[in-house]
Amino acid sequence: MEQNVLTDTNLVGYGEKYVGKVRDVYRQPERLILITTDRHSSFDRIIAHIPWKGQVLNQLSVWWFDQTKDIVPNHVIAIPDPNVTIARVCTPLPIEAVVRGYITGVTDTSLWTHYAKGKRDFGNFTLPDGLQKNQKLERSVFTPSTKSDTHDQTLSPDEMVASNIISRGLIDTIEAVATALYERGAAVAAERGLILVDTKYEFGIDAGGELMLIDELHTPDSSRFWEASSYEERFAQGMEPEYFDKEFLRLWFKEHSDPYRDETLPQAPADMVEELSRRYLSIAERITGEPFEPGATPILKRIADNISSYAVH
Ligand SMILES: Nc1ncnc2c1ncn2[C@@H]1O[C@H](COP(=O)(O)OP(=O)(O)OP(=O)(O)O)[C@@H](O)[C@H]1O
Ligand SMILES: [Mg+2]
């Protein structure tokens, strides 16, 4: 059978390889070869490979980078292949720039969790009493967190400056840029009948000292999307919004394994993997308004051909 899933890469002559959860990154002095694979992570490990997910994430990010380049420069140099971005090497800033337009979430770090426990003063903003879960905020809020291997910590900009994580000038700039990016993203999503609920940006500093948007942008892995058409009615009835859902796959693993402990995991059911693939494709098609065109297979061979001019020697 044709290989139609990109699990990992092992390219020689393209620089030092760094393996992220989703991306394989080949580092050269001035540029990175960022290959977005089909790996799907959860519980801090790879739980499945989702056909076309890497292509979807790469192309959707590229699309958004183009839509927002008037707000802030980004790391994109070239896209030689559907799964590959040639990017400017930057020094990543040690924060995740999170912007939220709605109060939601169930995890420890989510805004709704803090609010439900009574928190109103978040340092750089306060929230009024009486908000309901999933309610739209009067204006978006900036809730940056530290980047850490163990667990990300939400800190206010003042706390970040006080802890010497980032300078005052830089965090203020990032807040302004991230807010503008969120507003642009939300406006574009709204034209497509989608709500951009919240999102996470990564920034870096390039060799010339300039602030750059890096990594990925407004993808279902970095952002939450809800269906706009049913939001109001469902919110009024106390129902959860219709959302882009990959939770079903997480739940399956929770039911069929101990994903934080088991050395090897069972294989996800093929129909669930296909369903998730369809969801990634369809949300990307909705956002961009362009039909998804699968790249040629085998993917790895195609990538090797397409990036050959970026070899280091
Ligand atoms: N232009 C850039 N310059 C430097 N680093 C970048 C750039 N763009 C992305 N990165 C980094 O490359 C990596 C992309 O890999 P991936 O998205 O798989 O990582 P991750 O799983 O999110 O994070 P981790 O690094 O913890 O594995 C991230 O560490 C990201 O910060
Ligand atoms: Mg990442």
Side-chain angles (χ1 to χ4, degrees):
M1 209 180 78
E2 274 188 318
Q3 186 218 355
N4 65 351
V5 177
L6 184 62
T7 57
D8 38 46
T9 68
N10 219 332
L11 300 162
V12 176
Y14 290 89
E16 198 189 329
K17 183 169 97 165
Y18 164 81
V19 180
K21 281 183 249 42
V22 174
R23 291 170 186 82
D24 281 1
V25 185
Y26 293 83
R27 194 185 179 89
Q28 301 179 7
E30 266 140 49
R31 62 193 183 199
L32 296 178
I33 300 177
L34 276 165
I35 304 179
T36 309
T37 71
D38 295 327
R39 297 194 290 267
H40 191 65
S41 80
S42 209
F43 316 105
D44 284 324
R45 65 194 294 183
I46 305 307
I47 61 167
H49 295 95
I50 309 298
W52 310 117
K53 184 188 144 180
Q55 181 180 338
V56 165
L57 292 186
N58 186 56
Q59 292 181 325
L60 185 55
S61 287
V62 166
W63 188 86
W64 278 114
F65 279 127
D66 192 50
Q67 296 279 314
T68 55
K69 61 178 190 277
D70 60 313
I71 298 173
V72 61
N74 58 64
H75 70 172
V76 177
I77 297 172
I79 304 102
D81 179 275
N83 286 68
V84 181
T85 292
I86 308 296
R88 212 180 289 236
V89 175
C90 295
T91 306
L93 296 175
I95 69 160
E96 310 213 318
V98 180
V99 182
R100 306 168 191 271
Y102 292 73
I103 183 164
T104 189
V106 290
T107 62
D108 291 349
T109 54
S110 73
L111 196 56
W112 174 249
T113 304
H114 290 298
Y115 185 87
K117 285 187 197 153
K119 190 164 174 176
R120 297 291 178 270
D121 182 358
F122 292 82
N124 54 330
F125 61 93
T126 48
L127 294 178
D129 286 333
L131 294 178
Q132 307 292 310
K133 183 168 183 232
N134 304 328
Q135 190 164 345
K136 187 178 198 307
L137 297 168
E138 203 146 320
R139 65 181 74 81
S140 65
V141 296
F142 180 55
T143 59
S145 70
T146 58
K147 256 192 248 174
S148 120
D149 289 344
T150 45
H151 71 294
D152 298 352
Q153 203 186 353
T154 303
L155 293 178
S156 71
D158 283 350
E159 289 169 325
M160 292 208 165
V161 174
S163 311
N164 287 316
I165 294 166
I166 195 163
S167 73
R168 167 58 59 190
L170 203 45
I171 192 75
D172 287 350
T173 302
I174 286 173
E175 171 158 13
V177 169
T179 301
L181 287 169
Y182 172 77
E183 272 158 20
R184 174 71 56 80
V188 171
E191 287 168 21
R192 316 294 209 246
L194 293 167
I195 293 173
L196 177 60
V197 181
D198 47 34
T199 185
K200 179 202 86 180
Y201 304 110
E202 286 189 43
F203 291 94
I205 306 291
D206 76 357
E210 210 181 338
L211 183 72
M212 294 268 147
L213 186 57
I214 65 170
D215 204 49
E216 62 178 325
L217 184 56
H218 296 159
T219 69
D221 281 11
S222 67
S223 315
R224 203 181 324 235
F225 291 96
W226 289 341
E227 195 69 52
S229 61
S230 58
Y231 167 75
E232 293 289 347
E233 197 183 327
R234 294 174 74 98
F235 178 73
Q237 293 175 359
M239 289 165 72
E240 286 295 309
E242 286 179 82
Y243 50 96
F244 172 86
D245 184 13
K246 44 193 172 206
E247 190 63 16
F248 68 93
L249 196 59
R250 266 178 73 86
L251 288 175
W252 186 89
F253 278 94
K254 274 191 165 170
E255 278 160 23
H256 293 85
S257 69
D258 185 348
Y260 285 110
R261 288 215 197 129
D262 295 350
E263 204 163 304
T264 51
L265 292 177
Q267 208 168 20
D271 56 336
M272 288 195 174
V273 170
E274 273 165 40
E275 175 58 24
L276 191 51
S277 176
R278 268 194 296 277
R279 290 182 192 193
Y280 272 99
L281 256 62
S282 90
I283 197 155
E285 288 183 327
R286 268 186 79 179
I287 291 169
T288 64
E290 293 156 14
F292 176 78
E293 284 176 28
T297 53
I299 298 171
L300 202 48
K301 164 85 169 58
R302 185 200 71 215
I303 289 175
D305 290 344
N306 283 337
I307 69 170
S308 60
S309 68
Y310 293 95
V312 266
H313 28 71

